[in-house]
Amino acid sequence: MKQTADVLPLVLENVSLERGGKRVLKDIDCRFDADVSKTLIIGPNGAGKSLFLQVAHGLVMPDSGRVHWALDGDPESVRRAQAMVFQRPVLLRRNALQNIEFALKIHGIPASERHERAKAVLKRTGLGRLAMTPARALSFGEQQRLAIARALSVEPRVLFLDEPTANLDPATTHLVEDLIEEAAAAGVRIIMTSHDLNQARRLADEVIFLNRGRIKERATSSQFFEVPQNDLAAAFLKGELLWWRRQSPDDRKEKPED
């Protein structure tokens, strides 16, 4: 990695977020260290998973609490050390190669390096032959791979992924999961949401179970899937609907967003 000092840990302290006067993230206390490679955040629709990532990444400011990194005194290093891929790819009206070159430009990569570096990451992600294709003319799966390629091109220390394989076919899902595993093996800290329990089993080193904007359980992957400690987590793993279970008066008034 480029950083001389690690940006991790990332810490969320007593973080809450409101939307329309309703709390959608509630009292989040969470720390992401360097000794875990891949964290999967799971939970039912409306649990607040996407908003959790956006707050952690810094796209959304919490209404209360604090989000901070080990290098908070160096905000530019923190910005450069992270990247995020959304569930729906956000691509420029340029070809695939230019999408990556632009990301490299805004991260301060010298012009002399951008072209070859962009070509290399396209090849690594199986998109080399599509370098000159307009990004928005690619298939949905190709667009998602391009979004991941663009994120990886800047060599982030932390990569946030918001359900990156949602609506993808099994073959493309396999390709994307391989990219995630390769990134993790290269030292990228993965923080990812998923609606797919089998995917979480395949990828996760640890699992965070989120429900109604609260962290209900955090455990290693093996512990979570074999002996979940939270009854809502156990019910979720069995495929039960959770909308009616143990709603506090506060929860009944609040409808979280995903």
Side-chain angles (χ1 to χ4, degrees):
M1 297 300 160
K2 295 177 183 177
Q3 294 76 29
T4 56
D6 202 345
V7 295
L8 294 172
L10 162 63
V11 181
L12 284 72
E13 293 182 350
N14 199 31
V15 165
S16 293
L17 180 69
E18 293 188 5
R19 284 289 183 270
K22 300 175 182 177
R23 286 203 307 162
V24 293
L25 291 179
K26 307 164 188 173
D27 310 318
I28 299 291
D29 284 302
C30 191
R31 175 179 171 129
F32 297 96
D33 288 294
D35 59 351
V36 174
S37 181
K38 292 165 291 175
T39 300
L40 270 284
I41 302 167
I42 65 173
N45 289 338
K49 301 185 295 294
S50 295
L51 288 172
F52 183 107
L53 280 195
Q54 291 171 30
V55 168
H57 183 43
L59 288 177
V60 174
M61 297 300 294
D63 291 291
S64 61
R66 182 180 176 219
V67 178
H68 61 97
W69 300 75
L71 294 184
D72 268 353
D74 186 356
E76 182 62 18
S77 289
V78 170
R79 182 186 72 82
R80 291 174 182 274
Q82 53 177 316
M84 183 165 176
V85 175
F86 298 88
Q87 183 175 338
R88 296 177 181 84
V90 180
L91 301 173
L92 302 173
R93 293 183 182 275
R94 306 180 184 196
N95 65 36
L97 186 71
Q98 290 167 337
N99 264 266
I100 295 178
E101 288 177 331
F102 182 79
L104 293 171
K105 179 180 179 179
I106 64 176
H107 272 75
I109 304 304
S112 59
E113 298 180 23
R114 292 175 207 151
H115 186 73
E116 290 304 316
R117 189 156 152 181
K119 285 201 306 182
V121 76
L122 283 175
K123 182 177 180 181
R124 192 167 86 243
T125 52
L127 296 170
R129 64 184 177 81
L130 299 172
M132 298 299 129
T133 303
R136 298 185 183 186
L138 298 173
S139 71
F140 186 82
E142 290 165 344
Q143 289 185 16
Q144 192 64 296
R145 275 192 287 157
L146 176 57
I148 293 172
R150 185 175 59 187
L152 293 176
S153 73
V154 302
E155 299 181 358
R157 176 66 178 94
V158 180
L159 179 59
F160 297 96
L161 298 157
D162 189 10
E163 302 207 19
T165 63
N167 305 314
L168 298 185
D169 61 78
T172 306
T173 295
H174 177 72
L175 288 172
V176 170
E177 289 186 1
D178 279 351
L179 293 175
I180 293 168
E181 292 280 22
E182 289 173 12
V188 179
R189 181 64 164 89
I190 303 295
I191 303 173
M192 170 178 162
T193 66
S194 180
H195 66 285
D196 185 339
L197 290 178
N198 289 324
Q199 179 174 74
R201 288 186 175 94
R202 289 191 297 269
L203 293 179
D205 295 314
E206 68 169 0
V207 174
I208 291 175
F209 175 69
L210 200 67
N211 187 58
R212 293 185 174 274
R214 297 185 189 276
I215 294 177
K216 293 296 186 180
E217 184 165 354
R218 182 176 188 175
T220 64
S221 178
S222 58
Q223 178 180 325
F224 181 81
F225 286 110
E226 292 171 14
V227 284
Q229 300 301 298
N230 179 267
D231 63 338
L232 292 172
F236 180 72
L237 291 176
K238 293 176 184 176
E240 295 181 19
L241 298 175
L242 303 185
W243 63 270
W244 57 273
R245 293 174 63 93
R246 291 196 177 183
Q247 295 182 43
S248 68
D250 186 47
D251 286 336
R252 292 189 192 106
K253 295 186 290 183
E254 298 173 2
K255 184 179 180 182
E257 300 175 11
D258 203 23

